[in-house]
Amino acid sequence: MKTLKRIAAGILSTALLLGMTSCAAANQTEAAANSAAFTTIESGKLIMATNAFFPPYEYYEGDKVVGIDVEIATAVAQKLGLELVIEDVEFDSIIAGVQGGKYDIGCAGMTVTEDRLKSVNFSTPYATGIQSIIVKADSEITDIDKLLEGDYKVGVQSGTTGDIYMSSSPEDGGVGEDRIERYAKGNDAVIALSSGKIDAVVIDNEPAKAFVKSNDGLKILDTPYTVEDYAMAINKDNVALKDAINQALKELTDDGTIPAIINKYIPAEG
Ligand code: GLN
């Protein structure tokens, strides 16, 4: 019965797509046409989980959450004929919440990793992130090798890729659990660095720049640690939603909307 319904939905969306190409008046995009095939937790809504302390991807302006992820997710929701609802939660609860059917998407500067792919699906990537190392301006830590070989304490945001890489054993390129201090928010790690409680923070480059700007006496090392893809996490059972989101992301990339959103928050250098 379920399969039949799915086939029916598939046929319906194909019919809509065909109808669309032959109907000049239809202002509907392919992504919206596909909406017949997917469901969301609450009808008419796209519930997005994020952690709104990650500028410029998500942060508070007054009591409003703004940023690159918010604008991209809003544009995607519009394409799908849905209203975006933002839930600001702890970063390390997002994957479990998407997996458990609490949120439709996790959109939080979230890196695609093999491990996370065991729990959720990811959309096509819409941005790139780099793990950066923040130290005090006068630090003796000059590069990643120096950080790894010393017995320096490293601050990370709990559950992030910075945490995963750094807390892994030295053989795997980390400093090991003993030298890790975890914080709920990236900026809390940066404040701990400023006050000398830890020696370095490993975090994504764009928030790193924002935090260094708002906390005196810090710098970002020239040697980035790793380059990553950001994408939206989606429940594994909702493949139709993933397909529709990917179609929307493609349209929004092709028509220049996503590049313009990213460029607004991260102006291209030079
Ligand atoms: N890109 C990192 C990750 O996915 C950090 C994301 C975040 O802190 N919001 O783990």
Side-chain angles (χ1 to χ4, degrees), residues 184-195:
K185 300 186 181 87
N187 201 45
D188 292 346
V190 173
I191 289 168
L193 172 64
S194 284
S195 66

Side-chain angles (χ1 to χ4, degrees), residues 145-203:
D145 292 335
K146 183 92 176 155
L147 176 68
L148 295 179
E149 79 203 12
D151 61 356
Y152 305 108
K153 284 256 181 238
V154 181
V156 293
Q157 186 185 357
S158 191
T160 60
T161 45
D163 180 0
I164 297 160
Y165 302 141
M166 280 293 126
S167 57
S168 67
S169 63
E171 301 83 67
D172 292 328
V175 297
E177 276 293 327
D178 293 352
R179 285 168 49 195
I180 289 292
E181 293 290 334
R182 294 192 171 87
Y183 299 86
K185 300 186 181 87
N187 201 45
D188 292 346
V190 173
I191 289 168
L193 172 64
S194 284
S195 66
K197 285 197 189 111
I198 53 176
D199 304 294
V201 172
V202 173
I203 195 160

